[in-house]
Amino acid sequence: MLLTLTLASMALNAKEAGAGAVTAKEAVADTVMARAVFADLPVSTLDLLSKNTCLDMLDYWDVDSVYRATNNLKGRSYIRELTPDFIEVQLTEVSTLQIKLLPQRGNTPLIMTVYTVGEEGQPMESDMEFYDSALNPLPKEKFLKAPELKDFIRIPKGSKMTLKEVEQLLPFFTVAYKTEASGDGLTATLELGDILTVENSGKVMPLLSPKLSYRWNGKKFQMIKQQ
C-alpha cells in the first residue's frame, strides 16, 4: 500500500542521512504521520474526496492557507487542524473526520478515526475505527469498550427514580466521540435529541452525566471514574 511504501522510504532515507543505530522499525514509528494516513485512508467517508484533493488540501495547509476543496457532493471540505499525530477535517457542513495516532510501546502507532455526523441542534453520532500502520482494520472492541446508557446515569442515594426507570425513558440515544490534538484523551457525549417531554426532562436530566472521559494507557482506552 502507498502509505507503507512511503513510510519505508522515509525510514530508509533517515538511516542514509545518519540515523545511527536506529532500527528500521523505530524509524517507521517515528515517521508515521496523520497527514499520510489522511491521504491514503481506505474508508467510505473519504469517498467524498479524491487522493489528489486530499494532497492539495495538505499542500495549501503547509503554506498557511485553508483550501476549501469541492467534494464529490459539490460541497466544501477543509482541514480544521493538523499536527504530526492528529488531523481534523470538516468533510461536509454536517460531518467531520478526526484521525489520531495513538502511541503503542514497542510498536508503531495505532491509527484511530472518528467520523461524526450531525448538525447544530440535532443529536450527533460517531463511528470509530482502528487500523494498524499498514491501514489494516482492527477490532474496535479491543481498544474501546463502548459506553452503555447506564454509564451516563448517576442515581444518588435517596433518589425517587431507579436506574431501570431512567433507562425506560431513554429508549433511543446516540454517542458522539471526540479526541484532541494535544494528549491522548477521548470524550464520549450522550446525545438524546428531543425524545424527552418537558416533565420527564426535569426528572431525568439531573441524573445524567452526559460526558464521559477516557485515557489511553498504551493498549486501550480506560474510562476515567467520576467522583
Side-chain angles (χ1 to χ4, degrees):
M1 205 172 254
L2 182 57
L3 174 61
T4 306
L5 295 175
T6 300
L7 297 176
S9 176
M10 293 172 73
L12 180 60
N13 290 340
K15 292 182 71 176
E16 291 176 346
V22 175
T23 66
K25 184 175 182 179
E26 289 170 335
V28 169
D30 287 341
T31 55
V32 176
M33 298 180 73
R35 60 185 300 134
V37 179
F38 172 58
D40 289 324
L41 195 63
V43 295
S44 59
T45 55
L46 285 183
D47 287 347
L48 288 170
L49 301 168
S50 69
K51 179 178 176 66
N52 286 338
T53 300
C54 293
L55 293 174
D56 287 343
M57 293 165 69
L58 292 166
D59 287 343
Y60 275 92
W61 183 271
D62 288 341
V63 293
D64 297 323
S65 178
V66 177
Y67 176 43
R68 296 177 181 269
T70 301
N71 57 48
N72 291 337
L73 293 179
K74 306 305 179 184
R76 297 291 183 181
S77 302
Y78 59 93
I79 297 173
R80 298 178 62 96
E81 188 172 3
L82 174 62
T83 69
D85 66 356
F86 175 83
I87 185 171
E88 181 172 0
V89 180
Q90 190 76 40
L91 291 174
T92 69
E93 291 184 355
V94 297
S95 64
T96 61
L97 174 69
Q98 293 183 315
I99 299 172
K100 179 72 175 180
L101 305 187
L102 299 166
Q104 298 185 102
R105 183 175 298 178
N107 204 346
T108 54
L110 178 72
I111 299 168
M112 175 180 71
T113 65
V114 183
Y115 174 61
T116 303
V117 178
E119 54 188 322
E120 188 173 350
Q122 299 295 321
M124 313 283 281
E125 184 171 11
S126 297
D127 179 52
M128 295 182 63
E129 300 293 343
F130 294 91
Y131 302 85
D132 64 19
S133 60
L135 295 181
N136 298 308
L138 301 171
K140 66 183 71 177
E141 60 274 10
K142 180 180 178 180
F143 307 104
L144 174 70
K145 182 180 182 298
E148 301 176 56
L149 180 57
K150 65 180 181 180
D151 294 321
F152 295 97
I153 301 173
R154 301 287 181 268
I155 304 295
K157 189 175 182 179
S159 173
K160 294 181 179 180
M161 295 193 71
T162 64
L163 174 62
K164 184 176 181 180
E165 288 172 334
V166 174
E167 289 179 322
Q168 288 175 338
L169 292 176
L170 303 174
F172 306 107
F173 70 96
T174 59
V175 176
Y177 295 100
K178 187 174 181 62
T179 186
E180 303 288 346
S182 59
D184 300 319
L186 180 74
T187 59
T189 302
L190 179 68
E191 300 280 344
L192 297 175
D194 56 0
I195 65 170
L196 287 171
T197 65
V198 173
E199 180 182 0
N200 286 337
S201 178
K203 297 177 182 178
V204 171
M205 295 308 293
L207 304 178
L208 297 182
S209 181
K211 183 173 291 187
L212 304 175
S213 297
Y214 294 80
R215 181 186 297 114
W216 176 252
N217 67 5
K219 294 182 178 180
K220 62 182 180 180
F221 281 105
Q222 289 185 319
M223 187 186 301
I224 300 174
K225 293 184 178 180
Q226 301 187 27
Q227 301 298 323

